[in-house]
Amino acid sequence: MRLVIKIGTSTLTHATGRLNLRRFHALCETISDIKNAGHEVILVSSGAIAMGVGKLGLPARPDDVPTKQAAAAVGQCELMDAYDRSFGQYHHTVAQLLIAREDVAVPERRENFSNTLFRLLALRALPIINENDTVSTAEFGIGDNDTLAAIVAQSAQADLLILLSDIDGLFSADPHRDANAKRIPVVEAITDDIRKLAGGKGTPNGTGGMATKVHAAEICGCDMVIANGFHPSVLYDILEGKDVGTRFVREKK
Ligand code: GLU
């Protein structure tokens, strides 16, 4: 299987912005093992801004664009250095790809991007992708890594997209507010009701960033699973078809 795995900032870092080492190493070990078992993996990793904030010792995540971009520039190095060292322990070679909106909007650039991805996979390297935050902004860029991961899954003709985050999946109501909210194991079709559950347009953070995740399911071109990255072993459960998270079944056209 060709897998695209997106790892959110909340999975990678503590609230301080420093790397959650225990979880980070468990993730790298699990992903290495999945590659050893013969699967192809592409990572889409967030965390650059948070790690830059931690490394620069800023008191909080900045609001202004230049400081965010500066933090991303510092944090991206730190992040890739950590990946390189951790995956290196298991003899896997990482490759960094930083993507801006033009790189996937302009057909020739998108083709170059796909060609590089395919070549890296053929060389058995592990592509690690993030938005090029130093030149992209929320308004003028791809904007969020759920969407970026879906674009990557589509460009790479992936079999499965996995979004690891700090939520267990899509719920029948907002689990922070409704004790009766139930996890929805499988979504067969993305209807207006499903979009409404995800918070709808205009409230992208209504239920923990669900709107961008449901949108990702609509554009990724393959099955997609949203799962909690708290225990990285959830990746094994997903590959074994266990009932974890929410699986969005690709709509047959
Ligand atoms: N590219 C951002 C970062 O690395 C994260 C964007 C997102 O998580 O949606 O910090």
Side-chain angles (χ1 to χ4, degrees):
M1 279 228 280
R2 181 172 293 161
L3 307 168
V4 174
I5 302 172
K6 182 256 174 174
I7 308 175
T9 299
S10 57
T11 302
L12 289 176
T13 59
H14 291 288
T16 54
R18 293 285 183 170
L19 202 57
N20 183 327
L21 287 167
R22 183 161 47 169
R23 197 175 300 140
F24 185 79
H25 290 305
L27 256 173
C28 294
E29 186 184 316
T30 308
I31 291 168
S32 296
D33 195 28
I34 287 172
K35 267 177 71 64
N36 289 352
H39 298 291
E40 290 179 334
V41 180
I42 299 168
L43 276 192
V44 174
S45 178
S46 302
I49 297 174
M51 288 191 65
V53 168
K55 193 161 189 194
L56 289 167
L58 304 179
R61 196 178 165 95
D63 289 326
D64 67 295
V65 172
T67 315
K68 261 193 222 167
Q69 293 183 317
V74 171
Q76 183 66 29
C77 283
E78 172 99 334
L79 192 59
M80 285 310 297
D81 178 50
Y83 276 127
D84 193 21
R85 279 187 286 126
S86 194
F87 280 114
Q89 277 185 307
Y90 305 103
H91 312 290
H92 286 293
T93 301
V94 300
Q96 171 185 263
L97 294 92
L98 297 177
I99 302 299
R101 187 161 69 175
E102 293 71 33
D103 300 323
V104 287
V106 177
E108 304 86 73
R109 291 175 76 136
R110 188 164 180 156
E111 200 184 322
N112 283 337
F113 168 58
S114 303
N115 288 343
T116 308
L117 263 184
F118 290 134
R119 185 50 56 90
L120 284 166
L121 292 176
L123 292 167
R124 299 188 192 289
L126 173 59
I128 303 184
I129 305 175
N130 196 358
E131 184 155 11
N132 192 351
D133 293 314
T134 54
V135 293
S136 303
T137 58
E139 292 77 26
F140 302 112
I142 297 165
D144 67 86
N145 276 3
D146 295 327
T147 306
L148 174 61
I151 293 171
V152 168
Q154 212 215 32
S155 305
Q157 295 158 22
D159 300 302
L160 182 65
L161 168 62
I162 301 173
L163 303 183
L164 292 184
S165 155
D166 57 355
I167 34 171
D168 291 338
L170 182 67
F171 281 74
S172 58
D174 182 350
H176 301 296
R177 292 190 205 150
D178 184 344
N180 294 320
K182 296 256 174 332
R183 176 177 60 89
I184 301 175
V186 180
V187 173
E188 300 275 359
I190 299 166
T191 58
D192 283 346
D193 285 345
I194 294 290
R195 285 191 201 95
K196 242 181 256 156
L197 276 183
K201 279 211 170 91
T203 55
N205 291 323
T207 50
M210 262 303 164
T212 55
K213 292 180 174 52
V214 170
H215 177 63
E218 292 187 89
I219 62 170
C220 66
C222 57
D223 278 16
M224 185 188 97
V225 176
I226 299 174
N228 198 325
F230 191 86
H231 297 294
S233 60
V234 75
L235 289 169
Y236 292 123
D237 296 339
I238 294 168
L239 293 181
E240 287 161 14
K242 292 192 182 149
D243 177 22
V244 287
T246 299
R247 179 180 279 260
F248 292 77
V249 180
R250 182 192 170 186
E251 284 183 53
K252 312 271 177 301
K253 296 264 151 64

